[in-house]
């Protein structure tokens, strides 16, 4: 085998799943089958991973066939989350494919009776110096890769790349553009039945009685299912299930009581409720009192936000018997097939070996949405009709009302400044519910239907994640500037009237919104330009280059003030360890705020697929614009009242701003995920631009007319 004496350490995902055969197969038909534990959720990750595999194997990317994640088939890489897929799965595939290439070259060298170092590979054709050839496909043998990885074969150097860094066609788009079945909702199995769930009418409601006879009398209704407060119907056609679920809902009697706080005064609830306080950071030296000229403080707020995917959650499940033992198959758009299998086994009192979970693409996924919950729904219904697959599709009202929300939060920022307005000390405090209630991360079973079953327990939240692991509520609460003293504290609010969990960028959205709004306030108080003020507090050359680039690209210095128009800048490095992002927003504020243009510069190190990276950055910026201008989950004292696109408005296609993205040169730096880097800077840049346009500092999201009026000075 061709080896080099010094190679980087084995990537953690490869160390956890060391068998080369678990990552790839060479097929005699002229293809490479590649497996990853990461799933396609619209971010284009399968294309980027295919490029990495093609690069290391020296084959055309069109020969790479990516296999959807499934338990028992794919390497177990946990969740697809946190903008870490390229860093985790990409690194593992890079080493696995480099070593597989070396294994095949050794086999070719033995066949051609030459030294492996004299062989070259071009699209799978292996050629010796004397012109004799063979191919991967002729040598294809699964036994060759049935061995543990050693990580002794160094991947290619960046200078040798021919596929990585190019715009390879997305592997998932042809089906989507042609409208071919690809999503969980499209799945059709023989004998398929359709299930619908009757959710409780309010939080904490308990099912008193239900008359199922009228529903069961409907032609096509197969059965109803009740388990505690879990109530559902199964029918042989989807339209029958839709009619039947409304009939069943009408005939159910619930006990209800008010359990929710005053939605119009959330900051008071969040800052006064019982909480668990964690010191996240206490860095540097407090400045001497004599050096402090002034102190400033401001408080910011964000409401609960929904995932608001255009498509609702869906899953299909089938219970069969094999060798006298029950077998449950589940098809789902979960972000973690192995974790879901583990939680289903806990909930259903089955062993994990009895359950298989296969990933099928679903609607846009921005974190912990209803994917796992709908899988549990489908599993429960499948238990009621053994041998018949059951598909569950959530309604729009259920999707908005029962998927976990991004937590509401309050952020207080305080700073001591010197004679030139320079920041000497910075403190940031957060109040909000947990971002961690994913299945597998909570003491109780983290699946909605499990909590509604007889004897089911309320879903508990997990603790705050340490910043060394990316953090959660505290993500980006420690500013990335060179302040002499920095302190961050998180207050995890313990009562959780609404289920909250991870939503794209977690706490980074509100923390960067607060910090970068406050930086603008400090710059203006000091009479300094916001760009210059930020650069004066940064020594990181990558951060400085980024801000200078975005300012130049947005023509910051040539901006001329005009009525109702404003521009604003913001910057952050996601998690303080991932991709750098700076945004300049241009807004128009008349009867409402409209974002006309967003200019972004992003430094993500080595970019595998430039077009894919731009897609993610653009999508993140547009979604952040929607969160910043429009999105707010509404509820009364009983239940969520945002149940459709009228009561939960999101950005319309006609309101999407022009988005211009510049990717910084990789300069030999490793790849960093970009899916969540734009959220916080985009929100803050828009808020700063709004201030530039109107002279009103709005510290409460979303930036609606109502919030602007409330923020106006008396």
């Amino acid at each position: 085998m061709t080896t080099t004496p010094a190679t980087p350490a084995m990537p953690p995902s490869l160390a956890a799943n060391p068998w080369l055969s678990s990552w790839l197969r060479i097929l005699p038909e002229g293809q490479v089958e590649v497996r990853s534990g990461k799933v396609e959720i619209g971010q284009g990750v399968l294309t980027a991973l295919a490029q990495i595999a093609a690069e290391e194997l020296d084959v055309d990317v069109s020969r790479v066939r990516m296999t959807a994640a499934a338990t028992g088939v794919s390497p177990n890489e946990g969740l697809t989350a946190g903008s870490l897929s390229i860093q985790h799965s990409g690194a593992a595939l890079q080493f696995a494919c480099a070593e597989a290439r070396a294994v095949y070259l050794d086999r070719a060298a033995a066949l051609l009776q030459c030294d492996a170092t004299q062989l070259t590979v071009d699209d799978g054709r292996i050629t010796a110096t004397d012109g004799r050839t063979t191919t991967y496909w002729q040598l294809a043998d699964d036994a060759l890769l049935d061995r543990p990885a050693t990580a002794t074969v160094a991947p290619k150097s960046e200078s040798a790349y021919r596929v990585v860094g190019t715009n390879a066609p997305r592997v998932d788009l042809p089906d989507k553009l042609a409208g071919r079945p690809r999503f969980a909702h499209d799945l059709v199995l023989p004998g398929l039945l359709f299930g619908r769930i009757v959710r409780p009418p309010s939080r904490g409601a308990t099912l008193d009685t239900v008359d199922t006879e009228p529903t069961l009398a409907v032609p096509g209704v197969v059965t109803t299912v009740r388990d505690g407060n879990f109530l559902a119907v199964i029918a042989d056609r989807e339209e029958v299930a839709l009619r039947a679920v409304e009939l069943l809902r009408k005939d159910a009697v619930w006990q209800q009581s008010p359990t929710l706080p005053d939605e119009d005064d959330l900051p008071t609830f969040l800052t006064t409720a019982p909480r668990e306080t964690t010191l996240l950071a206490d860095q540097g030296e407090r400045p001497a009192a004599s050096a402090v000229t002034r102190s400033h403080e401001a408080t910011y707020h964000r409401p609960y936000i929904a995932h608001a995917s255009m498509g609702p959650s869906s899953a299909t499940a089938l219970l069969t018997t094999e060798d006298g033992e029950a077998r449950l198959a589940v098809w789902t758009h979960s972000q973690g097939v192995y974790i879901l299998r583990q939680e289903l086994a806990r909930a259903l009192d089955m062993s994990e070996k009895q359950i298989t979970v296969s990933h099928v693409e679903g609607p846009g996924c921005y974190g912990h949405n209803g994917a796992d919950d709908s899988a549990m729904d489908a599993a429960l219904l499948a238990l009621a009709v053994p041998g018949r697959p059951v598909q569950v599709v959530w309604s729009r009202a259920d999707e908005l009302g029962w998927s976990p929300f991004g937590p509401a939060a309050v952020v207080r920022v305080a700073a001591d400044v010197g004679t030139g307005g320079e920041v000497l000390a910075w403190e940031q405090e957060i109040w909000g519910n947990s971002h961690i209630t994913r299945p597998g991360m909570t003491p109780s079973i983290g699946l909605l239907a499990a909590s509604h079953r007889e004897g089911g327990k309320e879903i508990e939240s997990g603790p705050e994640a340490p910043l060394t692991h990316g953090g959660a509520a505290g993500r980006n609460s420690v500013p990335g500037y060179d302040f002499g003293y920095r302190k961050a504290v998180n207050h995890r609010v313990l009562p959780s009237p609404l289920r909250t969990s991870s939503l794209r960028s977690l706490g980074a959205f509100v923390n960067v919104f607060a910090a970068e709004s406050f930086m603008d306030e400090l710059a203006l108080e000091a009479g300094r330009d916001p760009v210059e003020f930020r650069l004066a507090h940064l020594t990181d050359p990558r951060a400085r280059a980024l801000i200078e680039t975005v300012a130049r690209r947005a023509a910051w210095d040539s901006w001329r003030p005009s009525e109702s128009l404003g521009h604003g800048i913001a910057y952050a490095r996601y998690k303080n360890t991932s991709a750098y992002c700076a945004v300049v927003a241009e807004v128009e504020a008349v009867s409402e705020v409209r974002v006309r243009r967003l200019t972004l510069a992003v430094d993500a190190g080595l970019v595998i697929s430039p077009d894919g990276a731009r897609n993610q950055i653009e999508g993140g910026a547009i979604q952040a614009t929607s969160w910043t201008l429009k999105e707010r989950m509404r509820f009364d004292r009983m239940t969520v009242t945002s149940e459709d696109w009228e009561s939960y408005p999101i950005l319309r296609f006609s309101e999407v701003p022009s988005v211009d993205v510049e990717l910084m040169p990789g300069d030999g730096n490793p790849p960093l995920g970009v899916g969540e880097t734009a959220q916080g800077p985009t929100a803050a840049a828009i808020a700063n631009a709004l201030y530039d346009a109107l002279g009103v500092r709005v510290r409460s999201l979303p930036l609606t007319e109502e919030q602007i009026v409330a923020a106006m000075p008396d």
Side-chain angles (χ1 to χ4, degrees):
M1 181 184 299
T2 304
T3 61
T4 49
T7 56
M10 185 179 290
S13 270
L14 187 58
N17 304 275
W19 288 91
L20 294 177
S21 55
S22 68
W23 293 92
L24 75 157
R25 291 178 65 208
I26 303 290
L27 304 179
E29 296 82 7
Q31 291 184 314
V32 181
E33 183 181 278
V34 174
R35 306 185 190 98
S36 165
K38 303 299 182 181
V39 300
E40 181 64 55
I41 49 178
Q43 80 282 43
V45 69
L46 295 188
T47 303
L49 295 176
Q51 288 182 253
I52 290 171
E55 185 67 75
E56 294 301 331
L57 290 165
D58 282 318
V59 301
D60 190 275
V61 72
S62 64
R63 291 189 183 275
V64 179
R65 188 173 72 195
M66 299 299 299
T67 302
T71 57
V73 175
S74 309
N76 184 353
E77 293 192 275
L79 290 169
T80 301
S83 294
L84 291 168
S85 293
I86 295 300
Q87 288 165 254
H88 288 175
S89 201
L93 270 175
Q94 189 182 33
F95 274 80
C97 291
E99 190 158 346
R101 179 183 184 277
V103 168
Y104 270 80
L105 287 192
D106 281 349
R107 174 57 64 93
L111 177 70
L112 300 175
Q113 296 184 320
C114 64
D115 192 290
T117 59
Q118 298 174 342
L119 297 172
T120 60
V121 186
D122 181 16
D123 195 23
R125 175 171 293 278
I126 304 168
T127 305
T129 53
D130 61 4
R132 290 177 299 151
T133 67
T134 184
T135 67
Y136 286 154
W137 336 116
Q138 291 169 328
L139 301 175
D141 182 351
D142 287 346
L144 284 175
L145 301 183
D146 195 18
R147 63 177 73 185
T150 62
T152 55
V153 180
K156 283 183 181 177
S157 63
E158 189 175 333
S159 60
Y161 285 166
R162 294 185 299 177
V163 180
V164 166
T166 65
N167 293 321
R170 284 272 295 266
V171 300
D172 58 318
L173 286 188
D175 285 348
K176 294 171 181 174
L177 291 172
R180 290 190 286 266
R182 189 178 178 93
F183 294 104
H185 315 66
D186 301 322
L187 194 64
V188 177
L189 299 175
L192 185 65
L193 299 174
F194 300 88
R196 290 294 185 275
I197 316 301
V198 178
R199 300 291 179 203
S202 61
R203 260 56 180 180
T206 56
L207 182 56
D208 193 355
T209 61
V210 58
D211 181 1
T212 60
E213 292 303 319
T215 301
L216 290 170
V218 175
V221 168
V222 175
T223 189
T224 60
V225 176
R226 180 186 177 182
D227 185 350
N229 298 316
F230 179 81
L231 183 62
V233 63
I234 303 173
D236 61 4
R237 297 196 309 278
E238 188 167 21
E239 66 271 22
V240 174
L242 289 170
R243 288 201 309 273
V245 75
E246 294 309 318
L247 186 59
L248 191 60
R249 191 189 317 278
K250 182 175 71 67
D251 291 329
V253 178
W254 301 81
Q255 296 290 329
Q256 304 183 66
S257 58
T259 60
L260 303 182
D262 182 359
E263 194 248 332
D264 290 321
D265 192 18
L266 270 180
T268 298
F269 165 72
L270 293 171
T271 53
T272 59
R275 59 204 186 235
E276 177 186 84
T277 297
T278 306
L279 177 64
L280 302 175
D282 189 3
Q283 304 167 349
E285 297 291 332
R286 286 186 179 276
S290 58
V292 176
T293 302
R294 301 188 64 176
S295 297
H296 301 271
E297 180 178 319
T299 301
Y300 304 82
H301 166 245
R302 63 164 268 187
Y304 292 102
I305 299 175
H307 288 264
S309 302
M310 293 179 69
S313 298
S314 176
T316 299
L318 170 64
L319 183 74
T320 56
T321 301
E322 186 177 317
D323 297 330
E325 189 173 59
R327 303 284 180 177
L328 179 66
V330 178
W331 294 264
T332 170
H333 51 106
S334 169
Q335 290 173 268
V337 292
Y338 283 96
I339 297 172
L340 176 59
R341 182 178 71 169
Q342 167 196 307
E343 287 298 274
L344 289 173
R346 285 179 69 197
L348 302 175
D349 196 22
M350 300 174 75
S351 68
E352 292 186 29
K353 70 176 185 180
Q354 291 176 273
I355 302 173
T356 58
V357 178
S358 303
H359 185 264
V360 187
E361 288 186 50
C365 176
Y366 313 113
H368 181 193
N369 59 10
D372 297 297
D373 294 326
S374 63
M376 178 64 183
D377 293 341
L380 281 177
L381 299 194
L383 295 181
V385 286
R388 299 289 300 272
V390 183
Q391 184 179 82
V392 170
V393 179
W394 280 21
S395 68
R396 173 61 52 204
D398 284 352
E399 189 70 33
L400 284 171
W402 288 97
S403 282
F405 302 126
V410 171
V411 178
R412 184 187 71 87
V413 191
D416 295 330
V417 302
T419 54
E422 72 276 15
V423 178
L424 304 175
W426 180 284
E427 296 187 22
Q428 193 153 329
E429 279 185 282
I430 310 122
W431 289 260
N433 290 122
S434 174
H435 293 251
I436 301 175
T437 62
R438 282 185 184 274
M441 296 183 178
T442 62
S444 56
I445 297 170
L447 297 167
L448 180 63
S451 72
H452 288 163
R453 297 176 74 192
E454 186 70 38
K457 294 182 178 178
E458 185 177 343
I459 299 173
E460 302 167 76
S461 60
E464 172 68 11
L467 292 183
T468 50
H469 291 83
R475 185 167 292 181
N476 281 102
S477 60
V478 181
Y481 293 101
D482 301 320
F483 303 146
Y485 176 74
R486 302 181 296 181
K487 181 179 179 181
V489 175
N490 181 55
H491 304 286
R492 183 168 69 93
V493 175
L494 299 177
S496 189
L498 295 170
R499 181 163 63 135
T500 59
S501 196
S502 57
L503 176 60
R504 202 173 186 179
S505 80
L506 281 71
F509 175 65
V510 69
N511 282 317
V512 175
F513 162 66
E516 287 295 294
S517 294
F518 196 55
M519 280 294 281
D520 249 41
E521 295 190 46
L522 295 175
L524 294 170
E525 179 70 23
R528 297 169 64 173
D529 177 79
V531 171
E532 178 275 325
F533 189 73
R534 284 171 172 79
L535 290 174
H537 291 88
L538 280 170
T539 55
D540 183 337
R542 295 175 70 177
R544 292 182 60 85
L546 188 83
I547 290 176
E548 290 165 349
T549 297
V550 79
R552 182 171 56 252
R553 196 172 179 99
W556 179 269
D557 290 336
S558 60
W559 176 266
R560 296 292 177 266
S562 59
E563 186 176 2
S564 303
L565 295 180
H567 73 164
I569 188 170
Y571 151 79
R573 184 181 187 187
Y574 186 51
K575 303 181 195 174
N576 292 351
T577 57
S578 190
Y580 299 75
C581 179
V583 182
V584 171
E586 180 182 319
V587 308
E588 180 178 12
V590 186
S591 59
E592 61 181 10
V593 182
R594 183 179 181 86
V595 179
R596 293 162 42 131
R597 187 164 69 113
L598 295 172
T599 306
L600 297 94
V602 173
D603 181 349
L606 171 67
V607 175
I608 308 300
S609 171
D611 187 53
R614 284 194 179 88
N615 292 165
Q616 287 203 70
I617 295 163
E618 290 168 356
I622 292 168
Q623 185 176 45
T625 301
S626 183
W627 291 353
T628 304
L629 298 184
K630 290 177 176 286
E631 296 190 38
R632 175 185 180 183
M633 182 52 65
R634 310 306 299 258
F635 53 89
D636 57 24
R637 291 303 181 101
M638 300 291 287
T639 194
V640 169
T641 56
S642 296
E643 57 181 15
D644 53 32
W645 297 126
E646 296 299 321
S647 50
Y648 189 83
I650 64 173
L651 204 69
R652 296 175 182 273
F653 285 115
S654 61
E655 298 169 317
V656 170
S658 168
V659 183
D660 178 30
V661 177
E662 176 161 343
L663 297 174
M664 303 294 284
D667 288 338
N669 294 303
L672 300 168
V674 297
E676 299 174 315
T677 192
Q679 262 67 22
T682 299
I686 293 171
N688 291 336
L690 177 62
Y691 180 86
D692 189 46
L694 298 181
V696 178
R697 177 61 62 181
V698 186
R699 301 190 180 96
S700 222
L701 295 175
L703 305 179
T704 60
E705 180 181 1
E706 176 189 10
Q707 302 274 41
I708 294 170
V709 170
M712 287 181 174
D714 295 332

